[in-house]
């Protein structure tokens, strides 16, 4: 029994934050997701009562992690309406935590999370490098786990590949089941497309569907985007859907997928923003404003590329991985404490996200 519970809080209804559109019914099954999907169903049938605790779903962008995480929550709410389910992204969780520290309500934050029966945290890779949030999550996790509550996590990486997550937390992640979402095979891509057409009551020649499914392979979100764009083009512009139009749309999407931000590009954007040249950014200068710009370049390289810390360091004037790690932490801290600095981060983030 938790002595810290605020009297009456047990009666507070906690909004699940679930999206009912993300159900198991419309999460189409294929070889690429069978394991994750059935593990998800098993958990939904017996939350906290299987060895899949935590259930960690991992895989690349747009492969259905968020969808599946919601589907599990929605199914649990349906089967066990009295259970308190909460879906939250690791990013919001982190913000709430930082806020609670500022407002001196850290204990309330913890107690709130201890009330949850099924806690779903999306994109836990976001916790990397955030020691304070990891620490509080570690305690919440232990409490929930010990009390037979279910924890569901998603991540863009397998636990072994996660960087800057404390060992003790990583070991918890590995306690249950880590299930991977792979890129969908051709058959699954076709059924996902058919499902969208069916949902929207639209017909399209097989030839077109096949063309789209053949060319967009790595990401379900892009696949959906392309077909939705085709539907829109044909209905709003009254254009006939033919292979030509499909080609144009697919080309646009495939180009977008390929565009990946490079470390060079990030350094250039950061330098331009502070009106420095990239040589200065990479130099040994310890002038405060240049150090900050340098740290921001490292921070965004970590955020937007898949490069290792060592690699990021070596490309910014031969610095080591510890320096990069320190830069990432410093930026996180400054964002939380320094309004002006936070504005820098938001501005640059916007420039890089366009
Ligand atoms: P992630 O969180 O892995 O980046 P999302 O869960 O946001 O990916 O999925 C991207 C889009 O693809 C969503 O609109 C989702 O509904 C759809 N999607 C992914 N996998 C499937 C699937 N197996 N069946 C139907 N739709 C899917
Ligand atoms: Mg997601």
């Amino acid at each position: 029994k938790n002595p810290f519970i605020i009297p009456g809080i047990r009666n507070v209804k906690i909004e699940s934050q679930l999206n009912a559109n993300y159900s198991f019914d419309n999460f189409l099954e294929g070889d690429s997701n069978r394991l994750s999907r059935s593990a998800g169903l098993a958990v939904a049938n017996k939350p906290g009562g299987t060895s899949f605790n935590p259930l960690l779903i991992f895989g690349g962008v747009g492969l259905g992690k968020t969808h599946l995480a919601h589907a599990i929550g929605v199914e649990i709410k349906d089967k066990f309406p009295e259970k308190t389910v909460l879906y939250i992204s690791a990013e919001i969780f982190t913000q709430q935590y930082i806020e609670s520290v500022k407002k001196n309500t850290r204990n309330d934050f913890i107690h709130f999370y201890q009330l949850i029966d099924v806690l779903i945290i999306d994109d836990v890779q976001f916790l990397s490098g955030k020691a304070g949030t990891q620490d509080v999550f570690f305690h919440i996790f232990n409490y929930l786990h010990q009390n037979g509550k279910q924890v569901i996590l998603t991540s863009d990486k397998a636990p072994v590949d996660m960087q800057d997550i404390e060992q003790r937390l990583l070991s918890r992640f590995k306690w249950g089941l880590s299930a991977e979402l792979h890129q969908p095979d051709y058959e699954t891509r076709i059924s996902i497309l058919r499902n969208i057409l069916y949902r929207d009551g639209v017909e399209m020649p097989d030839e077109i569907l096949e063309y789209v499914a053949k060319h967009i392979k790595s990401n379900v979100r892009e696949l959906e985007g392309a077909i939705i764009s085709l539907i829109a083009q044909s209905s709003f512009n009254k254009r006939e859907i033919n292979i030509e139009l499909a080609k144009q749309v697919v080309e646009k999407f495939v180009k977008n997928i390929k565009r990946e931000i490079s470390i060079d590009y990030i350094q250039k954007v950061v330098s331009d923003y502070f009106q420095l040249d990239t040589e200065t950014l990479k130099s040994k200068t310890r002038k405060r404003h240049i150090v900050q710009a340098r740290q921001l370049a490292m921070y965004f390289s970590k955020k937007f590329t898949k490069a290792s810390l060592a690699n990021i360091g070596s490309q910014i004037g031969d610095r080591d991985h510890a320096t990069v790690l320190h830069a990432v932490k410093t930026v996180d801290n400054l964002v939380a404490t320094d309004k002006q600095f936070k504005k820098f981060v938001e501005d640059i983030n916007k420039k890089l996200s366009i």
Side-chain angles (χ1 to χ4, degrees):
K1 199 149 181 291
N2 181 352
F4 289 109
I5 282 179
I6 303 159
I9 201 167
R10 282 226 167 263
N11 299 326
V12 172
K13 200 173 163 306
I14 294 175
E15 271 293 326
S16 289
Q17 318 285 341
L18 288 166
N19 181 346
N21 294 323
Y22 285 153
S23 65
F24 271 107
D25 279 348
N26 61 23
F27 190 78
L28 298 182
E29 186 171 343
D31 287 343
S32 55
N33 62 36
R34 191 161 290 120
L35 172 69
S36 310
R37 193 177 186 281
S38 45
L41 268 173
V43 163
N45 285 322
K46 236 180 150 191
T50 68
S51 51
F52 306 155
N53 199 13
L55 173 63
L56 178 107
I57 301 160
F58 70 95
V61 277
L63 293 182
K65 299 180 296 293
T66 298
H67 184 141
L68 187 54
H70 276 279
I72 299 169
V74 168
E75 185 78 12
I76 293 175
K77 262 320 229 186
D78 198 45
K79 289 208 165 92
F80 310 96
E82 76 292 349
K83 285 210 188 286
T84 308
V85 179
L86 181 69
Y87 166 91
I88 189 143
S89 69
E91 184 167 7
I92 305 282
F93 180 85
T94 303
Q95 283 171 12
Q96 287 180 351
Y97 173 67
I98 292 172
E99 195 68 6
S100 83
V101 171
K102 263 195 226 152
K103 290 194 179 138
N104 244 324
T105 54
R106 187 176 181 274
N107 283 339
D108 293 347
F109 174 87
I110 294 172
H111 299 147
F112 171 83
Y113 277 93
Q114 288 178 340
L115 296 174
I116 313 282
D117 297 314
V118 178
L119 178 61
I120 306 170
I121 303 205
D122 203 357
D123 290 321
V124 287
Q125 76 276 0
F126 187 84
L127 300 181
S128 91
K130 302 190 173 63
T133 314
Q134 286 179 35
D135 187 54
V136 79
F137 179 56
F138 179 76
H139 290 290
I140 291 168
F141 178 93
N142 285 339
Y143 180 92
L144 294 178
H145 199 271
Q146 273 157 23
N147 287 276
K149 311 299 170 118
Q150 179 71 46
V151 178
I152 297 154
L153 310 167
T154 78
S155 166
D156 68 354
K157 290 181 200 69
V160 282
D161 297 324
M162 288 185 201
Q163 285 178 342
D164 309 320
I165 302 259
E166 279 178 58
Q167 210 47 50
R168 56 179 190 162
L169 199 52
L170 277 183
S171 88
R172 294 301 190 271
F173 289 177
K174 294 178 199 158
W175 272 1
L177 177 73
S178 301
E180 181 165 9
L181 286 175
H182 299 272
Q183 296 184 356
D185 55 29
Y186 179 72
E187 306 307 317
T188 314
R189 299 203 294 278
I190 291 278
S191 30
I192 290 172
L193 292 175
R194 281 201 203 291
N195 193 48
I196 294 168
L197 293 179
Y198 175 78
R199 182 192 72 195
D200 291 4
V202 180
E203 288 188 19
M204 217 178 267
D206 280 352
E207 187 196 20
I208 306 283
L209 278 193
E210 285 160 13
Y211 183 87
V212 174
K214 257 187 206 129
H215 287 86
I216 302 186
K217 298 178 192 159
S218 58
N219 183 321
V220 182
R221 188 176 297 134
E222 306 289 356
L223 194 65
E224 275 188 352
I227 200 80
I228 287 167
S229 165
L230 269 173
I231 297 173
Q233 299 260 7
S234 75
S235 63
F236 297 138
N237 302 334
K238 303 251 178 297
R239 276 179 77 179
E240 193 202 337
I241 303 186
N242 53 26
I243 279 285
E244 257 325 295
L245 183 61
K247 269 187 190 153
Q248 283 173 22
V249 168
V250 165
E251 222 165 73
K252 220 176 64 200
F253 275 87
V254 174
K255 246 188 228 142
N256 285 342
I257 305 166
K258 289 223 174 105
R259 206 193 102 247
E260 220 207 275
I261 305 180
S262 68
I263 292 180
D264 277 349
Y265 179 69
I266 291 168
Q267 292 181 355
K268 167 125 184 40
V269 168
V270 172
S271 308
D272 286 353
Y273 182 79
F274 291 108
Q275 294 171 353
L276 304 167
D277 55 76
T278 42
E279 286 319 306
T280 314
L281 197 73
K282 295 183 193 177
S283 71
K284 301 271 173 258
T285 299
R286 313 272 311 252
K287 279 190 195 131
R288 195 177 124 85
H289 72 287
I290 296 173
V291 171
Q292 283 196 346
R294 190 179 299 135
Q295 289 178 326
L296 279 166
M298 295 189 244
Y299 169 87
F300 282 110
S301 300
K302 176 78 183 61
K303 179 166 176 186
F304 284 119
T305 75
K306 292 193 170 70
S308 67
L309 296 174
N311 191 347
I312 294 170
S314 73
Q315 293 193 51
I316 191 153
D318 240 351
R319 290 174 159 89
D320 65 8
H321 88 282
T323 309
V324 181
L325 189 58
H326 175 73
V328 172
K329 283 185 180 149
T330 307
V331 171
D332 279 328
N333 286 337
L334 283 174
V335 166
T337 53
D338 180 339
K339 274 219 179 94
Q340 167 78 67
F341 190 83
K342 186 168 171 213
K343 174 89 173 37
F344 294 160
V345 172
E346 285 167 356
D347 287 351
I348 298 169
N349 198 36
K350 240 184 244 149
K351 283 185 201 296
L352 289 170
S353 306
I354 292 169

